[in-house]
Amino acid sequence: MIHLFALLLYNAAFLLWLRTLLGGGRGRDAPPAWATAAGVAAHVVAFSAYAAEFRELPLVGLGPSLSMLALLVTIGLLGAVVVREGERVGIVLLPLAIILQAIALAVGIRPSGTDPDFQGGWFILHAGLGLAGVVGIALAGASGGLYLAQFRELKARRMGRLFYFLPPLATLDRLGRVGSHVGFVFLTVSLALGWAWTVRFRGTFGQEDVEMWWGLFSWLAVLTAILTRAARGGTPERRAALANSVAFLLVVAGYVVLRVTAHPEAGFL
Amino acid sequence: MTPALVGLSHRTAPVEVRERLAFPGDEAAHALSGLHDAGVEQVVLLTTCNRTELYFESGEEETFARAVDFLERAAGALPEPLPNYLYRHSGDSVALHLFRVVSGLDSMVPGEAEVQGQVREAYQRAAGSDPAMTGAVLNRLFQTALSVGGRVRSETAIGEGSASVASVAVELARKIFGDLRDRRVLVLGAGETAERMVASLGREGVQGVMVANRTYDRAVDLAERLHGRAVRMEEITRALADADIVLTSTSAPHFLVTASNLTAAYPAGVTSPLLMVDIAIPRDIDPELGGVADVFLYNVDDLQRILDESLDRRRVAAVDAESLIAREVEGFALWHRSLAVVPAIRALREHGERVRAREVARLIERMPHLSGADRDAVEAFSRRLLNQLLHEPTARLRRAAEEGRGEEALAAVRHWGEGHDLA
């Protein structure tokens, strides 16, 4: 029930942004930001109840993981408030969080009954950092997409509602840079921890684990996006914006492909 | 008391008349004391570059005459008699006028925000003078007006978008660079428009200004005024490499900034976004540069088109603002009408209080055994009883006044008061 309430608040925040966008692009940033914050608070309460009831963190199983990812996406969005008009990337990140939370609610946010190995501190760090890394990539991808949209408005010499709604190019570039670096660092640590764990306790490199391949693929995607900034041709900002949005789309596409093709017993999220 | 106003604005008087009645800086305070000396004791003087208006607590004919006389003396000889330029309002239309003024609906540029501060300043000057030159009506009128101005700006789109070519340039720079504090500007041409644009950018924190002009001395002059440095025309390619924003407004008959300048400035290609604003006619910047990916080039037509769109949006938003203002005027009118019964309510309460105090004193005299605490309890009880008894008639009186039946209600109170010692 509280999860549903959080979903409703995320929807309300998104609708407020949408109203601002359709109403000419200008408007107060506080109401949607507060609605998001209220959604995050409700979500945290829901997870606290989950942890108290099931004595485990919501990191294992499809429902809990997707819901946790939705929570981290909205927390990342609240973090964007620190830069000028940064919270407006919510126009992309809130629908993502809404979809994740809706799927989580549809499949059920309950323990998967998996191996107790997946409940230790080691695993919590690995999974938590992995999800946070994906959030970093999502933030970078959303900022990159909006950068390209604002760039297009400016080149087209029009000051429509999108122009007024979208944050400055410099803000979007900064968010993209922070997102991709956070994504890279967290994913690196998460992958290293996951590998160390499988080598130590299972005696393998985890090559049979589909999640490991997705994690590695995501890590390479974000690394490429970061390196693209340093390449030649055009401004680094625009190059990075394009690379970040492509990296995010690849990470999502990789997940969908693996999810669809993985054997049901592989237990892929 | 009925509020009133007399004044002139850009709609009724040409600039040569308005400037005669502008009271900049300390002159407004002197004018206020002049009005006080002339017998206009409760007045707010609103003076901006587009208007001079006097708002009175009570608009008797004599007050108008004294105020107009004061203005005539201040203006001196004019092309036409002063009354030809003046408008006057009284009653609710004063609220409508002031609410429209404070919201920027009566300004040259619809929705301009500066007037809100000017109204606040005018009110504070009058309310803060010694003795205060505002009474209950003016206080309520101006406090409501300031709140209406804030609401109109936050609840409608009247103040959105740019209101001048210079502000369009600033808006574009903000949307590209965000914070403008560390940005550098290259100005080609020492014209007035370019200077205004750089001044607007300066208010946003732009620091490094480089000025180039065909006449180097003029570049030095402008650079000094803008706290920047002058650059010789032969050096503009090098300056281009240092600039984030380029503003051009020369009268050169040919392009001053071309692809070859840009290539020379950025041999490896443009490495960061570059905003170029060309307001010169004929143009100073080769339009081909607009095709370079990270160069954002705007000419005077682009800026004017953006400005027109912005002003159109403001005009549409003005409709919402007008309906908000109409509701607020109605609220003010209700309050103002309710003032008519205030003396009657006061008399009713005073009468009730006299009766209460007398009866409590009698009771306590008859019951000497009551302790101090008991006496306090009787006092409190009698006050509560009185308040409850008077609450309904007071509310009904106010409501009747708000509904325009104040006279009727007052007659009833007077009739009742004849049988009592109602003050």
Side-chain angles (χ1 to χ4, degrees):
Chain A
M1 198 62 196
I2 312 176
H3 273 103
L4 186 63
F5 184 54
L7 177 63
L8 290 175
L9 286 166
Y10 294 153
N11 271 296
F14 174 64
L15 290 175
L16 285 167
W17 279 131
L18 205 58
R19 193 182 69 164
T20 304
L21 172 60
L22 297 177
R26 303 224 194 188
R28 284 179 296 173
D29 289 359
W34 278 111
T36 310
V40 167
H43 214 146
V44 168
V45 170
F47 275 154
S48 304
Y50 179 100
E53 187 181 346
F54 301 114
R55 306 228 164 266
E56 68 171 64
L57 288 174
L59 292 167
V60 186
L62 184 61
S65 306
L66 291 185
S67 185
M68 177 58 88
L69 191 54
L71 173 63
L72 292 176
V73 164
T74 47
I75 289 176
L77 178 55
L78 288 183
V81 169
V82 295
V83 288
R84 181 184 174 136
E85 298 178 19
E87 61 275 21
R88 291 187 171 216
V89 291
I91 198 74
V92 175
L93 289 184
L94 279 167
L96 176 66
I98 288 166
I99 291 169
L100 291 169
Q101 180 72 348
I103 295 174
L105 280 166
V107 299
I109 304 172
R110 54 179 174 267
S112 62
T114 43
D115 197 324
D117 284 353
F118 290 109
Q119 289 168 24
W122 186 291
F123 176 75
I124 290 170
L125 262 179
H126 159 68
L129 289 174
L131 291 177
V134 173
V135 170
I137 297 173
L139 176 63
S143 307
L146 296 180
Y147 183 102
L148 296 174
Q150 182 66 293
F151 181 88
R152 198 160 164 266
E153 290 293 296
L154 282 158
K155 286 300 277 184
R157 296 166 188 169
R158 58 179 171 232
M159 284 168 108
R161 51 177 68 132
L162 203 56
F163 171 86
Y164 286 115
F165 180 80
L166 294 177
L169 293 181
T171 297
L172 292 166
D173 178 56
R174 201 167 150 203
L175 286 176
R177 202 163 40 205
V178 169
S180 57
H181 283 83
V182 163
F184 176 71
V185 170
F186 283 3
L187 268 186
T188 305
V189 179
S190 169
L191 278 173
L193 284 171
W195 254 321
W197 187 83
T198 49
V199 167
R200 184 172 172 195
F201 295 109
R202 298 207 164 154
T204 73
F205 283 102
Q207 61 271 28
E208 69 289 346
D209 189 346
V210 187
E211 274 146 2
M212 189 281 289
W213 288 109
W214 180 57
L216 193 60
F217 175 71
S218 305
W219 182 80
L220 281 171
V222 71
L223 176 64
T224 310
I226 290 172
L227 292 177
T228 305
R229 185 182 279 274
R232 291 173 64 88
T235 59
E237 292 92 338
R238 195 159 50 86
R239 242 185 352 254
L242 186 61
N244 283 336
S245 11
V246 171
F248 175 55
L249 290 176
L250 285 175
V251 169
V252 174
Y255 174 83
V256 172
V257 168
L258 289 174
R259 172 84 201 151
V260 171
T261 56
H263 193 275
E265 284 179 15
F268 184 59
L269 290 176
Chain B
M1 283 171 291
T2 305
L5 88 86
V6 63
L8 51 80
S9 74
H10 60 100
R11 295 188 193 281
T12 61
V15 65
E16 55 271 24
V17 174
R18 298 203 304 273
E19 69 192 4
R20 305 285 282 277
L21 285 169
F23 299 97
D26 290 343
E27 284 183 35
H30 293 309
L32 264 187
S33 47
L35 279 159
H36 186 268
D37 296 343
V40 186
E41 290 177 355
Q42 297 203 302
V43 63
V44 174
L45 166 63
L46 173 63
T47 172
T48 73
C49 54
N50 285 327
R51 71 186 63 247
T52 297
E53 291 174 341
L54 295 170
Y55 290 81
F56 313 114
E57 183 87 8
S58 179
E60 284 98 23
E61 208 46 52
E62 195 184 339
T63 314
F64 273 118
R66 283 178 184 161
V68 172
D69 186 48
F70 173 83
L71 291 175
E72 274 175 335
R73 274 186 280 119
L78 294 172
E80 288 181 44
L82 181 65
N84 291 2
Y85 302 110
L86 294 177
Y87 46 83
R88 51 188 275 184
H89 295 281
S90 64
D92 297 348
S93 66
V94 176
L96 177 64
H97 179 83
L98 180 61
F99 294 178
R100 293 188 79 253
V101 166
V102 78
S103 304
L105 295 182
D106 199 47
S107 301
M108 274 183 172
V109 177
E112 62 102 357
E114 210 181 341
V115 69
Q116 169 104 5
Q118 290 163 330
V119 170
R120 177 176 291 111
E121 202 179 308
Y123 169 57
Q124 286 171 345
R125 192 184 304 117
S129 65
D130 188 20
M133 295 184 75
T134 55
V137 174
L138 282 179
N139 284 333
R140 178 80 172 213
L141 178 68
F142 275 84
Q143 284 161 10
T144 311
L146 291 168
S147 145
V148 169
R151 281 191 60 201
V152 163
R153 282 188 180 79
S154 66
E155 293 176 26
T156 74
I158 190 75
E160 293 179 0
S162 307
S164 65
V165 168
S167 62
V168 171
V170 171
E171 183 87 49
L172 286 166
R174 260 202 238 123
K175 281 294 183 188
I176 294 170
F177 303 110
D179 191 346
L180 299 181
R181 269 176 297 185
D182 297 324
R183 300 296 163 183
R184 289 152 301 178
V185 187
L186 169 62
V187 185
L188 300 185
E192 201 182 313
T193 318
E195 185 175 352
R196 269 205 301 272
M197 278 191 187
V198 180
S200 299
L201 287 166
R203 283 193 288 277
E204 293 291 317
V206 165
Q207 302 268 322
V209 179
M210 299 167 278
V211 184
N213 193 59
R214 193 165 48 88
T215 316
Y216 185 68
D217 288 346
R218 286 196 65 193
V220 171
D221 276 355
L222 181 59
E224 273 175 12
R225 281 204 299 281
L226 299 170
H227 308 294
R229 69 183 171 89
V231 175
R232 293 190 185 278
M233 284 305 263
E234 314 77 84
E235 297 170 338
I236 60 169
T237 301
R238 208 166 54 201
L240 198 58
D242 288 337
D244 300 296
I245 302 166
V246 180
L247 299 177
T248 65
S249 67
T250 76
S251 49
H254 52 80
F255 296 139
L256 292 176
V257 183
T258 60
S260 61
N261 291 112
L262 201 67
T263 309
Y266 297 98
V270 177
T271 51
S272 60
L274 181 61
L275 170 62
M276 297 181 125
V277 178
D278 182 359
I279 52 169
I281 294 176
R283 288 173 291 179
D284 285 336
I285 301 176
D286 186 345
E288 292 287 312
L289 294 189
V292 177
D294 293 285
V295 171
F296 300 97
L297 172 62
Y298 301 87
N299 63 34
V300 72
D301 282 357
D302 297 326
L303 299 187
Q304 191 57 52
R305 188 174 43 77
I306 292 169
L307 177 62
D308 289 345
E309 285 167 7
S310 170
L311 293 178
D312 282 347
R313 272 197 296 276
R314 285 180 178 224
R315 284 182 199 107
V316 171
V319 177
D320 296 335
E322 294 282 9
S323 59
L324 192 154
I325 285 171
R327 287 195 299 276
E328 293 290 336
V329 169
E330 182 58 28
F332 178 80
L334 286 179
W335 173 83
H336 184 243
R337 283 203 288 272
S338 77
L339 283 185
V341 294
V342 166
I345 290 173
R346 197 178 297 131
L348 201 60
R349 288 203 157 267
E350 282 168 0
H351 169 69
E353 176 56 25
R354 276 197 303 276
V355 173
R356 185 202 67 79
R358 191 177 63 217
E359 291 305 317
V360 167
R362 261 189 215 159
L363 179 71
I364 287 173
E365 203 179 292
R366 268 190 251 135
M367 301 172 85
H369 58 279
L370 289 181
S371 66
D374 289 340
R375 289 178 187 200
D376 289 347
V378 169
E379 276 281 343
F381 164 76
S382 65
R383 283 184 205 285
R384 272 201 309 275
L385 187 65
L386 177 67
N387 283 337
Q388 285 189 22
L389 284 172
L390 290 182
H391 174 74
E392 189 58 28
T394 306
R396 277 177 185 267
L397 269 173
R398 280 192 194 282
R399 217 163 27 241
E402 286 172 3
E403 287 165 5
R405 295 182 291 111
E407 275 307 311
E408 201 181 306
L410 280 176
V413 172
R414 277 191 214 106
H415 177 70
W416 178 78
E418 283 166 12
H420 300 78
D421 54 343
L422 204 59

